[in-house]
């Protein structure tokens, strides 16, 4: 049967590990969002000079395993003189990986925008940057919020790979506790429930947001874009 | 009278399709020029070249005394000082009607927000939308949307207004409310270039009418002459079909 005593004894440690998982995911998520937005915008440009590097980046990330990317950043890059802590390596690998996927989502969102929006902006004298910031991106982000959230939930699960770099996140901690207690069912069961809990929260959030009818409000609330007043 | 638009030798192609062929055009202050002609004649393309929403290949366009192709600063100046109204309104759906109108003055002209909103209110009152300050574009009818779009363009204090088939996407009963606003503008002395099929409107407020066919301006005459004494056979044929 379940050893509740053991669970409660290790619960603080699990929560600490959960916090670490969320920290890695949140930091990577923010960087990935920035990378994905920039790359996504570049990928809609006409110039080959812009598209080719972007295509190589997304193609390469999507066609190689995340675990290998993680190893490459941490153990491969030091040869070039770039020394990274395992935490930094994890953030870089996860950001680059998730960023590639997010860029595809952003690109799709941009492609679905009515051309009239940017034409009206340009006709009013807005700069390209203002058009993006005030008109295009707020609408795009509102539209792509559900796939972004699901991408983020993949990212959270992917952070379990950080265990191989001895980062004290949920999966690493579970392995450690399992080895210490010889109770793998409880040791891995608790993190499973925790991962599931996060996923559930994100899924509900996604549903809550996409259920919103009022135009513009949700994107503005979550990202602060498009704020005019 | 000051010249607002001067076009010389304008050519424009979409791939192999030669849509504008050697266009010359002058528009003077307070002119209300209606461009008409069969679809595919190049009317909208010509209009969209004036603020360079379409790039053109040959020729020069000077607007408000600036060659729009020669520098970014010139183009930017022309866009800030001209307004455009589109067939499909192109309002910004994620912000309120007020924000739609106040956005460009705030971000392009850097006018203080309270002043910009004060002005936006005035303009919305002027186009008969006092009750809709806080509405979102999605909550408006087509005619209301187009009136907001006009207010949005006017908020920049344009010296020239470009209308690209402003009533073509509207239900017949909403056309009048938009035309009324445009008539008021014309009577107020605004320089306007209008691509339109509304010959009734052209008759009422235009002072010049340009007839385009196959990428060329076939005829550009004062209004009365256009309707009563068209010069070219092609214009006569067109008029006999639509009137």
């Amino acid at each position: 049967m379940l050893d509740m005593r053991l669970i409660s004894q290790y619960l603080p440690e699990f929560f600490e590990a959960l916090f670490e998982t969320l920290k890695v995911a949140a930091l990577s998520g923010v960087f990935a969002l920035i990378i994905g937005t920039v790359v996504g915008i570049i990928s809609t440009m006409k110039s080959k000079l812009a598209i080719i590097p972007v295509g190589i980046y997304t193609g390469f990330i999507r066609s190689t395993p995340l675990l290998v990317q993680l190893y490459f950043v941490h153990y491969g890059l030091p040869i070039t003189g770039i020394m990274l802590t395992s935490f930094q390596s994890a953030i870089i690998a996860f950001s680059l990986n998730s960023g590639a996927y997010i860029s595809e989502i952003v690109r799709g969102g941009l492609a679905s925008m009515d051309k009239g929006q940017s034409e009206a902006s340009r006709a009013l004298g807005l700069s390209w940057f203002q058009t993006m910031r005030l008109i295009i991106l707020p609408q795009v982000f509102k539209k792509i919020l559900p796939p972004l959230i699901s991408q983020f939930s993949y990212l959270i699960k992917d952070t379990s790979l950080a265990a191989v770099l001895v980062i004290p996140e949920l999966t690493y901690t579970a392995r450690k506790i399992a080895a210490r207690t010889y109770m793998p069912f409880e040791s891995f069961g608790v993190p499973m429930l925790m991962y599931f809990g996060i996923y559930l929260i994100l899924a509900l959030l996604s549903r809550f947001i996409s259920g919103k009818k009022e135009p513009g409000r949700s994107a503005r609330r979550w990202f602060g874009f498009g704020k005019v007043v | 009278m000051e010249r607002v638009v001067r076009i010389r030798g304008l050519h424009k192609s979409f791939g192999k399709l030669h849509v504008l062929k050697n266009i010359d055009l002058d528009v003077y202050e307070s002119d209300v020029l209606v461009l008409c002609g069969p679809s595919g004649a190049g009317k909208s393309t010509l209009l969209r070249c004036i603020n360079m929403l379409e790039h053109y290949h040959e020729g020069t366009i000077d607007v408000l005394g600036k060659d729009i192709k020669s520098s970014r600063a010139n183009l930017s100046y022309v866009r800030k000082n001209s307004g455009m109204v589109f067939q499909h309104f192109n309002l910004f759906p994620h912000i309120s009607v007020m924000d739609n109108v106040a956005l460009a003055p705030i971000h392009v002209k850097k006018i203080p927000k309270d002043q910009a909103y004060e002005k936006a209110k005035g303009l919305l009152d002027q186009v008969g939308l006092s009750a809709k300050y806080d509405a979102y574009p999605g909550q408006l009818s087509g005619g209301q949307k187009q009136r907001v779009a006009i207010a949005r363009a006017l908020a920049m204090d344009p010296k020239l207004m470009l209308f690209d088939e402003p009533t073509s996407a509207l239900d017949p009963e909403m056309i009048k409310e938009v035309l009324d606003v445009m008539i008021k503008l014309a009577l107020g002395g605004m320089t306007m270039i209008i691509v339109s099929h509304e010959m009734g409107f052209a008759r009422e407020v235009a002072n010049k009418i340009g007839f385009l066919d196959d990428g060329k301006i076939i005829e550009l005459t004062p209004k009365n002459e256009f309707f009563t004494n068209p010069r070219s056979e092609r214009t006569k044929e067109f008029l006999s079909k639509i009137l």
Side-chain angles (χ1 to χ4, degrees):
Chain A
M1 271 312 289
L2 271 179
D3 189 340
M4 292 309 289
R5 198 190 46 78
L6 179 100
I7 292 176
S8 65
Q9 184 191 336
Y10 283 103
L11 211 52
E13 205 171 326
F14 276 124
F15 270 108
E16 226 169 277
L18 173 65
F19 180 71
E20 188 73 10
T21 287
L22 290 177
K23 194 167 83 179
V24 172
L27 267 175
S28 307
V30 170
F31 289 131
L33 195 62
I34 296 168
I35 295 171
T37 305
V38 173
V39 173
I41 290 171
I42 293 172
S43 67
T44 61
M45 291 174 174
K46 287 192 185 91
S47 144
K48 283 215 167 59
L49 214 67
I51 294 175
I52 290 172
V54 158
I56 292 173
Y57 161 65
T58 52
F60 210 71
I61 295 282
R62 284 156 55 100
S63 58
T64 54
L66 175 54
L67 182 59
V68 181
Q69 293 164 14
L70 201 57
Y71 279 136
F72 182 79
V73 169
H74 192 60
Y75 298 112
L77 287 187
I79 289 177
T80 67
I82 304 172
M83 298 295 278
L84 299 164
T85 67
S86 38
F87 186 79
Q88 291 167 338
S89 300
I91 298 292
I92 290 173
F94 292 141
S95 303
L96 287 174
N97 183 274
S98 222
Y101 290 97
I102 290 176
S103 76
E104 305 267 295
I105 299 174
V106 171
R107 189 172 65 117
L110 287 168
S112 74
M113 282 294 297
D114 178 12
K115 260 191 143 175
Q117 290 291 305
S118 58
E119 285 183 355
S121 311
R122 274 151 58 202
L124 283 168
L126 269 73
S127 67
W128 177 86
F129 189 75
Q130 286 174 322
T131 302
M132 274 293 163
R133 184 171 66 89
L134 299 167
I135 308 300
I136 306 295
L137 288 181
Q139 294 183 58
V140 166
F141 275 110
K142 182 180 180 274
K143 216 181 274 188
I144 65 175
L145 209 47
L148 274 186
I149 289 175
S150 89
Q151 184 58 43
F152 188 61
S153 74
Y154 294 142
L155 173 62
I156 289 171
K157 289 183 285 179
D158 285 345
T159 59
S160 64
L161 292 172
V164 302
L165 299 186
V166 205
I167 289 170
E169 48 72 67
L170 212 40
T171 305
Y172 175 79
T173 304
R175 219 172 56 189
K176 196 177 71 183
I177 292 173
R180 204 185 301 158
T181 60
Y182 298 107
M183 299 276 226
F185 188 84
E186 288 82 353
S187 301
F188 290 112
V190 172
M192 286 268 271
L193 285 176
M194 285 178 157
Y195 282 120
F196 178 71
I198 302 169
Y199 176 80
L200 203 63
I201 291 169
L202 288 175
L204 290 173
L205 186 69
S206 175
R207 182 177 293 186
F208 172 73
I209 291 165
S210 49
K212 283 270 165 203
K213 285 286 182 284
E214 208 176 358
R217 288 282 182 207
S218 50
R220 197 185 299 186
R221 189 180 307 145
W222 294 105
F223 290 101
F225 284 116
K227 207 165 175 172
V228 178
V229 190
Chain B
M1 208 78 100
E2 195 143 343
R3 182 155 51 189
V4 180
V5 178
R6 176 182 177 277
I7 299 177
R8 289 293 178 273
L10 179 68
H11 286 270
K12 157 88 188 164
S13 312
F14 290 112
K16 279 186 182 163
L17 194 67
H18 199 172
V19 283
L20 293 178
K21 299 168 183 166
N22 201 21
I23 300 274
D24 293 336
L25 180 66
D26 290 292
V27 178
Y28 294 90
E29 210 180 320
S30 295
D31 265 355
V32 177
L33 168 64
V34 170
L35 295 173
C36 62
S39 53
K43 314 176 292 284
S44 285
T45 307
L46 172 58
L47 190 79
R48 289 160 57 85
C49 281
I50 293 172
N51 62 359
M52 224 152 109
L53 287 186
E54 297 289 353
H55 287 263
Y56 50 93
H57 302 94
E58 237 180 87
T60 54
I61 300 181
D62 295 336
V63 184
L64 302 164
K66 312 234 178 212
D67 178 352
I68 60 170
K69 215 175 188 177
S70 68
S71 75
R72 266 176 177 273
N74 280 3
L75 178 59
S76 166
Y77 175 85
V78 167
R79 284 181 176 169
K80 281 176 197 171
N81 288 285
S82 61
M84 187 160 198
V85 175
F86 300 85
Q87 180 178 2
H88 295 289
F89 328 125
N90 298 347
L91 292 180
F92 306 131
H94 62 301
I95 53 178
S96 71
V97 162
M98 269 274 259
D99 286 338
N100 264 277
V101 179
L103 184 131
I106 291 171
H107 290 279
V108 178
K109 280 200 167 169
K110 313 287 182 198
I111 287 172
K113 278 174 190 167
D114 46 343
Q115 273 179 41
Y117 282 110
E118 214 40 57
K119 178 154 195 199
K121 275 183 195 167
L123 285 165
L124 286 168
D125 294 346
Q126 210 178 307
V127 298
L129 288 170
S130 312
K132 300 289 183 186
Y133 293 159
D134 297 318
Y136 279 81
Q139 300 164 324
L140 303 180
S141 72
Q144 290 171 332
K145 280 182 194 168
Q146 198 58 301
R147 284 183 282 152
V148 174
I150 294 173
R152 177 176 71 176
L154 291 177
M156 291 295 281
D157 294 319
K159 298 182 177 75
L160 166 70
M161 284 284 284
L162 308 170
F163 292 85
D164 189 3
E165 305 204 21
T167 57
S168 299
L170 297 176
D171 289 343
E173 56 206 286
M174 289 169 181
I175 291 177
K176 189 175 178 298
E177 65 190 49
V178 171
L179 289 184
D180 284 347
V181 170
M182 290 170 65
I183 290 169
K184 245 197 278 176
L185 262 184
L187 295 179
M190 177 65 76
T191 311
M192 296 160 74
I193 305 177
I194 303 151
V195 170
S196 178
H197 301 288
E198 295 290 333
M199 295 320 280
F201 168 78
R203 250 195 177 142
E204 198 168 339
V205 289
N207 67 338
K208 284 182 194 164
I209 297 185
F211 177 70
L212 271 83
D213 189 28
D214 192 28
K216 283 174 272 196
I217 295 183
I218 307 275
E219 188 147 350
L220 180 69
T221 48
K223 169 181 60 181
N224 292 332
E225 215 169 306
F226 182 83
F227 284 109
T228 55
N229 188 20
R231 278 175 230 159
S232 79
E233 281 308 310
R234 183 68 186 89
T235 314
K236 278 177 199 159
E237 187 195 332
F238 178 75
L239 283 175
S240 71
K241 277 179 192 155
I242 59 162
L243 291 181

